[in-house]
Amino acid sequence: MTQPLWGIDLGGTKIEGAIVPSLDNPQPILRTRIDTEGHKGYEHIIHQIDKLVQTMKQQSGLQPARLGLGTPGVLDPILQTMKNCNSTALNGQPLKKDLEEKLGIPCVLANDANCFALAETHWGVVKEKAPGAQVVFGIIMGTGVGGGLVVNGHVWNGKHGIGGEWGHNFLDESGGPCYCGKTGCVETVLSGPGLQRYYKSITGSMLSLKDILAHALQGNDQAAIKTIDRLNHFFGKAVSVITNMLDPDVIVVGGGVGNIDSIYTAGVESLHKFIFNNRVDVPILKPSLGDSAGVFGAAALVA
């Protein structure tokens, strides 16, 4: 009998765990979550992950052979320490080593965008609409912007562990400074906070992205219309870099900004202008797994 797949999605506020039977059957045996309590420090995060795994063992009556872990950053393949984590307590820490010592089982780590792309490949919209896809690029556009790359059903981490880190490519100076130390990253332009900052720069008012979109759709707020038009323009420009470099079979767009319908019409029209081709054939799709993608993708890491 195939060993069930165990996955943990390590978020800034919640740690979620799931056990799924196999790649062929993603119907969860168990799914549960606890608070991360990251403000208490790195050792406490390790403790919370262990606490969740022990709870999963008790509730399921099962024992994990391996554990997949989706993280808010990446494990440096050379140094074997975490980097680029917005949960800053993890940066510089040997998370894989410490977890393996604590849990007594092998652990496989990947960042949350890679887990998103992996889940949508095996169980989500890619399987539904592009089942033969060999190269899948997953985008998360929300509070931040990230990207994940799946090749032949497996995460492609790359030499530095940063494969797919689209959010920190340069896009436009107008995005302003990024927390990573550079200026004009994709994240500064296309993230929810980036769009809100742009709207405020025109109007002096800080609105939620939901309200900006509503005003744009009503057609009576020129600054809101300009903000969404700018999103669509730069979405196409940023995605053209992915398309020209990787030429993926499919692109899946998640996160709150990914719910804005116009990026799939006006955004794709913008891509037409920037791609090094006379047409756009790559499907750009909304995900189908919702907030399940992270933990399911973590479980798929150990398949």
Side-chain angles (χ1 to χ4, degrees), residues 5-8 18-20 68-69 115 118 123 294-303:
L5 311 176
W6 289 57
I8 298 282
I19 307 171
V20 299
L69 187 77
C115 289
L118 192 62
W123 297 312
V295 72
F296 280 20
L301 290 171
V302 299

Side-chain angles (χ1 to χ4, degrees), residues 89-195:
L90 298 173
N91 286 323
Q93 300 289 353
L95 181 60
K96 174 178 163 67
K97 174 178 172 288
D98 289 345
L99 275 179
E100 289 180 339
E101 289 178 358
K102 184 77 169 177
L103 301 173
I105 54 172
C107 296
V108 183
L109 277 60
N111 78 19
D112 46 12
N114 278 323
C115 289
F116 163 77
L118 192 62
E120 290 293 341
T121 297
H122 286 296
W123 297 312
V125 71
V126 178
K127 186 171 184 180
E128 295 165 23
K129 297 189 176 181
Q134 293 179 299
V135 180
V136 176
F137 197 84
I139 290 169
I140 297 178
M141 295 197 303
T143 304
V145 172
L149 181 60
V150 172
V151 179
N152 294 326
H154 298 276
V155 168
W156 185 271
N157 287 309
K159 179 69 173 177
H160 302 92
I162 58 170
E165 279 290 1
W166 175 66
H168 295 281
N169 284 345
F170 173 77
L171 181 55
D172 193 77
E173 291 281 353
S174 66
C178 183
Y179 79 89
C180 74
K182 296 189 284 293
T183 296
C185 291
V186 170
E187 180 167 305
T188 67
V189 178
L190 298 183
S191 67
L195 295 169

Side-chain angles (χ1 to χ4, degrees), residues 28-48:
I29 297 167
L30 175 72
R31 192 171 173 186
T32 188
R33 60 170 60 182
I34 63 172
D35 292 337
T36 307
E37 298 178 350
H39 63 282
K40 296 184 179 179
Y42 173 70
E43 294 296 335
H44 188 73
I45 294 172
I46 295 286
H47 168 79
Q48 289 298 90

Side-chain angles (χ1 to χ4, degrees), residues 23-302:
L23 274 185
D24 298 322
N25 179 11
Q27 191 61 40
I29 297 167
L30 175 72
R31 192 171 173 186
T32 188
R33 60 170 60 182
I34 63 172
D35 292 337
T36 307
E37 298 178 350
H39 63 282
K40 296 184 179 179
Y42 173 70
E43 294 296 335
H44 188 73
I45 294 172
I46 295 286
H47 168 79
Q48 289 298 90
I49 296 170
D50 179 52
K51 178 181 174 181
L52 181 60
V53 170
Q54 299 311 320
T55 299
M56 292 166 68
K57 287 180 184 179
Q58 292 164 9
Q59 292 182 358
S60 68
L62 299 170
Q63 294 288 328
R66 294 200 298 166
L67 181 72
L69 187 77
T71 64
V74 297
L75 182 72
D76 189 299
I78 306 299
L79 302 178
Q80 289 295 298
T81 53
M82 298 300 294
K83 63 183 180 183
N84 302 342
C85 299
N86 52 20
S87 297
T88 55
L90 298 173
N91 286 323
Q93 300 289 353
L95 181 60
K96 174 178 163 67
K97 174 178 172 288
D98 289 345
L99 275 179
E100 289 180 339
E101 289 178 358
K102 184 77 169 177
L103 301 173
I105 54 172
C107 296
V108 183
L109 277 60
N111 78 19
D112 46 12
N114 278 323
C115 289
F116 163 77
L118 192 62
E120 290 293 341
T121 297
H122 286 296
W123 297 312
V125 71
V126 178
K127 186 171 184 180
E128 295 165 23
K129 297 189 176 181
Q134 293 179 299
V135 180
V136 176
F137 197 84
I139 290 169
I140 297 178
M141 295 197 303
T143 304
V145 172
L149 181 60
V150 172
V151 179
N152 294 326
H154 298 276
V155 168
W156 185 271
N157 287 309
K159 179 69 173 177
H160 302 92
I162 58 170
E165 279 290 1
W166 175 66
H168 295 281
N169 284 345
F170 173 77
L171 181 55
D172 193 77
E173 291 281 353
S174 66
C178 183
Y179 79 89
C180 74
K182 296 189 284 293
T183 296
C185 291
V186 170
E187 180 167 305
T188 67
V189 178
L190 298 183
S191 67
L195 295 169
Q196 290 174 281
R197 283 194 302 271
Y198 179 75
Y199 181 85
K200 185 179 180 183
S201 74
I202 302 172
T203 64
S205 301
M206 179 62 84
L207 288 187
S208 69
L209 180 58
K210 182 179 178 181
D211 286 341
I212 293 170
L213 180 61
H215 287 201
L217 293 173
Q218 288 162 10
N220 55 6
D221 183 339
Q222 290 304 310
I225 293 169
K226 190 173 180 182
T227 300
I228 300 303
D229 285 348
R230 180 174 179 270
L231 162 67
N232 297 329
H233 167 78
F234 280 117
F235 176 80
K237 189 171 187 178
V239 170
S240 73
V241 176
I242 297 167
T243 312
N244 288 348
M245 288 291 294
L246 299 175
D247 203 7
D249 296 302
V250 62
I251 296 171
V252 187
V253 186
V257 180
N259 289 325
I260 296 176
D261 289 335
S262 63
I263 64 173
Y264 302 94
T265 53
V268 173
E269 288 172 16
S270 172
L271 176 58
H272 274 268
K273 299 173 188 174
F274 293 106
I275 188 178
F276 187 54
N277 201 40
N278 60 5
R279 64 188 190 279
V280 174
D281 293 332
V282 60
I284 299 178
L285 306 174
K286 289 185 177 182
S288 64
L289 294 175
D291 65 358
S292 301
V295 72
F296 280 20
L301 290 171
V302 299

